[in-house]
Amino acid sequence: MGFFVMIRDVSMGFMLLCISALWVLPIQGAGRESFSRNSSSSSLPSSVNVGALFTYDSFIGRAAKLAFVAAIEDINADQSILRGTKLNIVFQDTNCSGFVGTMGALQLMENKVVAAIGPQSSGIGHIISHVANELHVPFLSFAATDPTLSSLQYPYFLCTTQNDYFQMNAITDFVSYFRWREVVAIFVDDEYGRNGISVLGDALAKKRAKISYKAAFPPGADNSSISDLLASVNLMESRIFVVHVNPDSGLNIFSVAKSLGMMGSGYVWITTDWLLTALDSMEPLDPRALDLLQGVVAFRHYTPESDNKRQFKGRWKNLRFKESLKSDDGFNSYALYAYDSVWLVARALDVFFSQGNTVTFSNDPSLRNTNDSGIKLSKLHIFNEGERFLQVILEMNYTGLTGQIEFNSEKNRINPAYDILNIKSTGPLRVGYWSNHTGFSVVPPETLYSKPSNTSAKNQRLNEIIWPGEVIKPPRGWVFPENGKPLKIGVPNRVSYKNYASKDKNPLGVKGFCIDIFEAAIQLLPYPVPRTYILYGDGKKNPSYDNLISEVAANIFDVAVGDVTIITNRTKFVDFTQPFIESGLVVVAPVKGAKSSPWSFLKPFTIEMWAVTGALFLFVGAVIWILEHRFNEEFRGPPRRQIITVFWFSFSTMFFSHRENTVSTLGRFVLLVWLFVVLIINSSYTASLTSILTVQQLTSRIEGMDTLIASNEPIGVQDGTFAWKFLVNELNIAPSRIIPLKDEEEYLSALQRGPRGGGVAAIVDELPYIKALLSNSNCKFRTVGQEFTRTGWGFAFQRDSPLAVDMSTAILQLAEEGKLEKIRKKWLTYDHECTMQISDTENYQISVQSFWGLFLICGVVWFIALTLFCWKVFWQYHRLRPEESDEVQARSEEAGSSRGKSLRAVSFKDLIKVVDKREAEIKEMLKEKSSKKLKDGQSSAENSQSKDHETPQ
């Protein structure tokens, strides 16, 4: 304590100036002082000092002190570690003060500690990290979870628990799991609170969520300040509250929230690990605290179950009695991390010494005594082997009470994991786990580490949660505050097509198709939405819809309601609801009646259809001739007559007027199928020709968008819509060709005048407008080509507005109930319904694709019939061939082998003769052959019997 003997005589400002001198790097050499009591520098020291810096009178501090004492006792009693070197621990109370904590850290340094365990506070951690850097003494904090303490700025600061970077990512995943988009952060305004919430904001942004409001209060705030803060928070739309405060004062927040009615249904309270630290430290649990916290979801550092952990918890009561602590000081997870931190230092020292290292200290020449103060800076020493010792700590890998103790390259514990607990009237109940390996699960994380990492949405699991107000269904997460500002709705003040949205004298001030849909959807929401409609535009011309969207994005309007088209560029700045009507750009052009053609009778079929049909008629005639030739005399005769018969029969089937009868079974079967096909072809031809001759044929020299792009003629667009930018930016049409038109009268006038009269060749506009235009023009114009964009109209909300999601659901419900159609009929029913597109004769032409199924059936039937016919002919030929083959063989023996080709020709001629013969003749020949064979067989039998009788006995 000599370092602070004269502290009362020194002014506060001068003292801080002296402390800042500790951060100056040494600039010259220093003498070395050995920590060992032995004469040999290579021998082990008899004792080593370790510091412990924490707040005694706190939930974490009371538990940590017992853990420190237990760890020191266990280490010094274990002969397998440190081999006779005693580990001493030097305690220092920070007293929840950054100034006192800094002084305490300097006092620890006077004791030549090789490491310090602590501090408990993140704020103190930032200050004393500079001391650690200067003196090369590692600080192992078991409770300071500020993520910024792991930065490269503090190489000697090591967090032996999981820092809040992982906890905030776990909370972000929890918010994303329930599809909430906004949260309110309530936090203590110090390094611990600010930096943790900053990480939460970054993590939420990656999930397309955000912190809508940051509610900070100073450390030690009273209930009045907390009440004012929560009252302002309750005016916000979001009902998702993330509370990141200190465990010793955090319960006051829920006491105030209860009194303000903020613990009922519809609210969601999420706390970091501080809440479970406070509850775990209460023995027994206070029923009043549980009543305050009903429905709260709390996170806690996860430590796997093990025998050593259970044994340590079993010793807790004896340790508390031994240290004469209060009976209600319970066990919390930080006790485990404090215990493991001491063991980490001991194990690291054991490895450090086994590698032949020693513990030595040296004076820092940059620390000089001041002439006018009693601060003795010379008592602060540099740990010469501190850098090597830090490296040994970072390389440690073993299993402690808190699980696997191993550090990654960023000095963080590996396998971060958290318990998720739901506070109920009976106490905290675990509903799942979170780890960066698999996200949410209902099984302990260590059982999943052997499997591949999987954080996909479908793999996330949590048990049922009881929310505030004893509600099982997850809250919506936001409300429209009753005392909040009314929704500012921007409505385009149109000068044309006013049935979609326009000014009115009714209480709303506006009317139209889009307004009715918006109002109907609002009525389906389960909460009131105060709203005010504000006309956008001067009423002299249609306003720019892109500018309207920009004002929504700039928070001038909350939502744009009207005929607002959903396009890609707009979705970058606002969120659209589900489309309530389909839309798309089309081309409208003047049309004229088409002249009738003397060749109209050929138009029902395409050229390919005519060719295929003609070929099939000829083919079916040939098939019928083959099948009937042997049976039917009408298909026999001279070749000229037979060819004429085939052609006549083929085409006469088109009118079912063929005079030839079919006799064979196969021929009748083929003809039956073909007549069915002819019936279908005739009916289709008649229907198509009727449509072509009766429907009015209209033509236009503009065939579609491609024609407009290729030409240099002017194009009309509606003023204020996105069509102008689309034509210029997407289709590269010169801006000079595009003529903005204000209303329907200008549309009709420009189309009637045409390009030569100062008008336009065509108009490009959205489909809903065009339907109204064609109806009002008595159908003098038509759309040409196809709709070349597919979009829709929706309501535009500010980015990430939760109201957009609810309104989309309401619009879908309106569509399912048929109310959207009723509203459409109310506003969009026209006296003259016009055919939208020009009727093209090609639309009525029949192609081969329409009949390929029928043609395939015909082909299969013909193939089967011809196959059966050929099989029968070959069978008959082989039955007749043996007799003829004997004669042919005799002739071949006489003529010699040189006439083989001639023999094959004779065989083919024989086959043709069999095919050409009448069926009756073939049957007669087969009958005679059978009789002859029978007689020959009988003669042979008689001859053999007579020879047997003549043989002598």
Side-chain angles (χ1 to χ4, degrees):
M1 300 295 292
F3 184 71
F4 294 97
V5 170
M6 300 180 66
I7 192 170
R8 296 180 182 177
D9 301 327
V10 183
S11 65
M12 183 67 69
F14 184 74
M15 182 182 300
L16 293 176
L17 179 63
C18 293
I19 293 171
S20 66
L22 298 178
W23 303 347
V24 181
L25 294 174
I27 58 175
Q28 61 184 25
R32 300 174 66 87
E33 178 182 349
S34 175
F35 193 81
S36 173
R37 296 182 182 178
N38 299 316
S39 58
S40 174
S41 62
S42 61
S43 59
L44 296 178
S46 59
S47 65
V48 177
N49 291 340
V50 175
L53 191 66
F54 59 99
T55 299
Y56 291 176
D57 189 17
S58 65
F59 285 128
I60 295 176
R62 288 189 289 269
K65 188 172 184 180
L66 292 181
F68 289 146
V69 172
I72 290 295
E73 291 179 354
D74 294 344
I75 291 169
N76 290 330
D78 192 342
Q79 298 301 319
S80 64
I81 193 169
L82 292 180
R83 298 184 297 279
T85 299
K86 182 180 180 181
L87 192 65
N88 299 321
I89 189 165
V90 181
F91 293 104
Q92 197 66 48
D93 187 5
T94 60
N95 199 27
C96 287
S97 169
F99 177 78
V100 174
T102 303
M103 298 300 103
L106 295 175
Q107 286 179 298
L108 282 180
M109 298 300 104
E110 288 183 346
N111 294 280
K112 298 180 180 179
V113 295
V114 297
I117 300 174
Q120 175 182 328
S121 166
S122 297
I124 299 175
H126 279 277
I127 299 175
I128 65 173
S129 291
H130 297 282
V131 179
N133 292 348
E134 177 71 19
L135 302 181
H136 299 178
V137 176
F139 271 73
L140 283 69
S141 178
F142 63 95
T145 56
D146 180 358
T148 62
L149 288 171
S150 297
S151 66
L152 298 176
Q153 183 182 4
Y154 308 122
Y156 284 89
F157 192 95
L158 187 63
C159 188
T160 58
T161 183
Q162 301 295 351
N163 71 48
D164 284 337
Y165 172 84
F166 302 103
Q167 183 167 210
M168 295 307 171
N169 276 273
I171 292 175
T172 297
D173 286 349
F174 186 80
V175 171
S176 178
Y177 180 84
F178 290 100
R179 299 181 180 180
W180 296 318
R181 303 291 293 275
E182 294 184 4
V183 303
V184 172
I186 302 173
F187 60 97
V188 61
D189 194 9
D190 60 10
E191 288 84 352
Y192 160 75
R194 285 192 303 271
N195 294 333
I197 294 302
S198 177
V199 172
L200 176 64
D202 293 341
L204 287 171
K206 296 178 182 178
K207 300 281 188 177
R208 284 204 63 186
K210 67 178 181 179
I211 298 176
S212 60
Y213 185 72
K214 294 183 178 180
F217 60 87
D222 57 18
N223 284 357
S224 177
S225 300
I226 295 175
S227 179
D228 293 341
L229 183 70
L230 293 184
S232 64
V233 163
N234 203 31
L235 298 178
M236 306 296 159
E237 293 183 1
S238 177
R239 285 294 182 262
I240 313 298
F241 302 133
V242 177
V243 185
H244 186 51
V245 296
N246 296 313
D248 297 280
S249 58
L251 290 177
N252 293 341
I253 293 176
F254 289 98
S255 176
V256 175
K258 184 81 170 180
S259 65
L260 295 176
M262 298 174 64
M263 297 301 296
S265 61
Y267 289 87
V268 175
W269 291 86
I270 304 169
T271 72
T272 52
D273 63 289
W274 68 266
L275 179 58
L276 268 303
T277 299
L279 293 181
D280 291 342
S281 301
M282 297 179 183
E283 288 190 7
L285 284 172
D286 187 352
R288 292 174 298 178
L290 294 178
D291 181 62
L292 289 176
L293 300 170
Q294 194 278 324
V296 174
V297 175
F299 285 71
R300 178 176 63 191
H301 294 99
Y302 171 73
T303 54
E305 293 297 325
S306 63
D307 292 338
N308 290 336
K309 178 181 173 181
R310 284 187 285 269
Q311 291 174 5
F312 181 73
K313 292 176 69 174
R315 295 169 54 192
W316 193 254
K317 187 175 291 185
N318 294 333
L319 290 171
R320 190 170 56 191
F321 177 78
K322 183 178 179 180
E323 294 296 319
S324 302
L325 295 181
K326 294 186 294 184
S327 60
D328 60 346
D329 290 329
F331 175 88
N332 60 55
S333 62
Y334 285 103
L336 299 174
Y337 287 103
Y339 184 88
D340 274 353
S341 297
V342 181
W343 268 98
L344 176 60
V345 172
R347 291 179 182 273
L349 280 172
D350 191 50
V351 174
F352 179 78
F353 290 139
S354 68
Q355 295 176 350
N357 297 299
T358 60
V359 176
T360 60
F361 293 86
S362 61
N363 295 323
D364 189 345
S366 63
L367 302 179
R368 292 182 172 85
N369 291 325
T370 58
N371 297 326
D372 55 351
S373 77
I375 300 178
K376 299 180 180 180
L377 300 177
S378 60
K379 287 197 172 185
L380 301 178
H381 300 85
I382 296 176
F383 180 20
N384 297 312
E385 292 80 15
E387 184 175 356
R388 174 58 192 153
F389 183 50
L390 174 64
Q391 190 61 35
V392 172
I393 293 175
L394 293 174
E395 293 173 356
M396 295 302 296
N397 184 358
Y398 70 97
T399 302
L401 297 184
T402 57
Q404 188 69 19
I405 298 179
E406 182 181 355
F407 298 92
N408 60 21
S409 59
E410 298 178 350
K411 300 191 303 180
N412 294 318
R413 289 275 297 269
I414 65 169
N415 298 330
Y418 290 87
D419 291 316
I420 299 100
L421 296 102
N422 185 203
I423 312 300
K424 299 185 178 182
S425 58
T426 55
L429 178 66
R430 182 186 287 113
V431 294
Y433 307 87
W434 178 91
S435 72
N436 66 341
H437 184 74
T438 56
F440 292 116
S441 65
V442 293
V443 296
E446 65 269 16
T447 62
L448 303 174
Y449 290 146
S450 60
K451 300 178 181 179
S453 177
N454 187 355
T455 57
S456 62
K458 65 179 182 181
N459 195 52
Q460 306 303 293
R461 298 287 186 276
L462 284 176
N463 291 325
E464 185 180 75
I465 296 176
I466 305 298
W467 305 97
E470 298 185 358
V471 177
I472 297 177
K473 182 181 178 181
R476 184 174 58 252
W478 77 282
V479 296
F480 203 95
E482 295 181 1
N483 56 349
K485 296 180 180 179
L487 202 68
K488 293 180 294 184
I489 304 172
V491 179
N493 190 9
R494 297 190 57 87
V495 297
S496 62
Y497 303 111
K498 293 187 176 183
N499 53 341
Y500 293 109
S502 62
K503 183 179 179 180
D504 193 66
K505 295 181 179 180
N506 62 18
L508 295 177
V510 289
K511 66 176 182 178
F513 170 71
C514 302
I515 304 301
D516 280 6
I517 291 178
F518 187 81
E519 285 294 317
I522 284 287
Q523 300 303 320
L524 295 178
L525 299 181
Y527 47 86
V529 180
R531 54 200 177 277
T532 300
Y533 291 94
I534 303 172
L535 289 171
Y536 180 76
D538 57 9
K540 298 179 180 179
K541 66 176 183 178
N542 292 333
S544 170
Y545 283 67
D546 286 338
N547 292 342
L548 175 60
I549 294 299
S550 297
E551 297 204 5
V552 173
N555 203 23
I556 297 175
F557 293 112
D558 296 309
V559 56
V561 173
D563 46 339
V564 182
T565 307
I566 304 172
I567 57 176
T568 304
N569 189 53
R570 293 173 181 173
T571 58
K572 298 177 181 177
F573 308 103
V574 295
D575 283 346
F576 281 95
T577 61
Q578 176 79 13
F580 55 85
I581 188 173
E582 292 184 355
S583 181
L585 291 178
V586 293
V587 179
V588 178
V591 295
K592 60 182 180 179
K595 296 180 180 179
S596 60
S597 171
W599 303 101
S600 297
F601 69 92
L602 295 176
K603 292 182 179 180
F605 288 170
T606 62
I607 296 175
E608 293 82 4
M609 183 66 181
W610 280 116
V612 172
T613 304
L616 289 177
F617 271 103
L618 293 177
F619 192 75
V620 75
V623 171
I624 293 295
W625 179 84
I626 292 172
L627 299 177
E628 292 291 320
H629 180 70
R630 303 178 66 191
F631 297 88
N632 197 335
E633 290 296 331
E634 294 181 348
F635 289 88
R636 299 184 68 84
R640 182 171 177 274
R641 176 188 172 189
Q642 294 186 45
I643 292 174
I644 293 174
T645 301
V646 169
F647 275 91
W648 166 255
F649 181 85
S650 298
F651 290 101
S652 63
T653 56
M654 181 185 298
F655 311 104
F656 305 99
S657 60
H658 49 283
R659 64 186 182 185
E660 294 80 8
N661 294 320
T662 51
V663 178
S664 66
T665 303
L666 292 176
R668 290 177 176 178
F669 178 61
V670 168
L671 183 60
L672 177 65
V673 174
W674 174 245
L675 290 179
F676 173 74
V677 174
V678 170
L679 175 64
I680 300 300
I681 291 176
N682 282 343
S683 301
S684 301
Y685 176 85
T686 303
S688 179
L689 183 61
T690 302
S691 300
I692 292 173
L693 296 178
T694 57
V695 174
Q696 182 184 11
Q697 301 299 317
L698 301 175
T699 62
S700 173
R701 62 188 185 84
I702 304 296
E703 297 179 357
M705 198 63 226
D706 293 337
T707 306
L708 284 178
I709 295 174
S711 70
N712 291 318
E713 296 178 324
I715 304 171
V717 297
Q718 185 182 169
D719 190 19
T721 63
F722 79 101
W724 190 94
K725 287 187 176 180
F726 182 86
L727 295 179
V728 173
N729 299 332
E730 301 296 332
L731 302 181
N732 298 318
I733 295 177
S736 59
R737 293 180 54 196
I738 303 175
I739 309 299
L741 302 173
K742 183 174 65 174
D743 52 27
E744 296 175 59
E745 292 181 1
E746 290 190 3
Y747 269 40
L748 299 176
S749 175
L751 284 172
Q752 289 171 352
R753 293 198 310 270
R756 296 180 180 178
V760 296
I763 286 177
V764 176
D765 206 349
E766 295 184 73
L767 190 59
Y769 303 130
I770 297 305
K771 288 182 178 179
L773 176 68
L774 297 183
S775 175
N776 296 336
S777 66
N778 293 322
C779 306
K780 293 180 180 179
F781 309 100
R782 291 290 192 276
T783 61
V784 292
Q786 299 296 322
E787 185 177 352
F788 57 94
T789 64
R790 294 279 183 178
T791 57
W793 291 354
F795 305 127
F797 286 84
Q798 292 178 6
R799 193 77 168 164
D800 298 326
S801 171
L803 188 58
V805 178
D806 290 352
M807 287 294 288
S808 292
T809 304
I811 290 172
L812 290 175
Q813 185 176 344
L814 289 175
E816 293 172 357
E817 294 175 356
K819 294 181 180 179
L820 276 185
E821 182 62 19
K822 292 180 181 178
I823 297 174
R824 189 196 67 79
K825 289 180 178 179
K826 173 184 175 182
W827 289 98
L828 307 181
T829 300
Y830 307 108
D831 296 332
H832 303 283
E833 293 288 344
C834 299
T835 303
M836 291 297 296
Q837 287 190 323
I838 293 176
S839 299
D840 193 347
T841 55
E842 293 183 359
N843 296 332
Y844 301 101
Q845 283 189 320
I846 299 172
S847 63
V848 177
Q849 286 77 8
S850 303
F851 284 90
W852 74 267
L854 277 176
F855 294 160
L856 178 64
I857 294 173
C858 280
V860 172
V861 170
W862 296 345
F863 176 78
I864 294 173
L866 290 175
T867 301
L868 294 175
F869 175 80
C870 292
W871 177 82
K872 183 178 181 181
V873 168
F874 276 103
W875 178 77
Q876 293 174 344
Y877 171 71
H878 282 288
R879 290 284 305 273
L880 296 173
R881 189 169 180 270
E883 293 181 356
E884 297 179 357
S885 63
D886 293 339
E887 300 176 1
V888 172
Q889 185 176 2
R891 291 196 300 266
S892 65
E893 290 176 356
E894 296 175 359
S897 59
S898 62
R899 302 184 60 188
K901 295 182 179 180
S902 169
L903 294 177
R904 286 194 295 271
V906 171
S907 299
F908 180 74
K909 290 180 179 179
D910 294 339
L911 177 61
I912 294 301
K913 289 180 180 180
V914 173
V915 173
D916 190 54
K917 288 183 179 180
R918 293 180 176 84
E919 183 69 16
E921 295 177 1
I922 295 297
K923 290 181 178 180
E924 186 65 28
M925 292 172 63
L926 289 175
K927 185 176 180 182
E928 291 177 357
K929 181 179 178 181
S930 298
S931 301
K932 183 178 179 181
K933 281 186 177 182
L934 181 61
K935 291 179 180 180
D936 291 344
Q938 292 176 352
S939 299
S940 298
E942 291 176 357
N943 292 334
S944 62
Q945 289 178 0
S946 63
K947 289 180 179 180
D948 291 340
H949 288 297
E950 293 175 358
T951 302
Q953 299 295 324

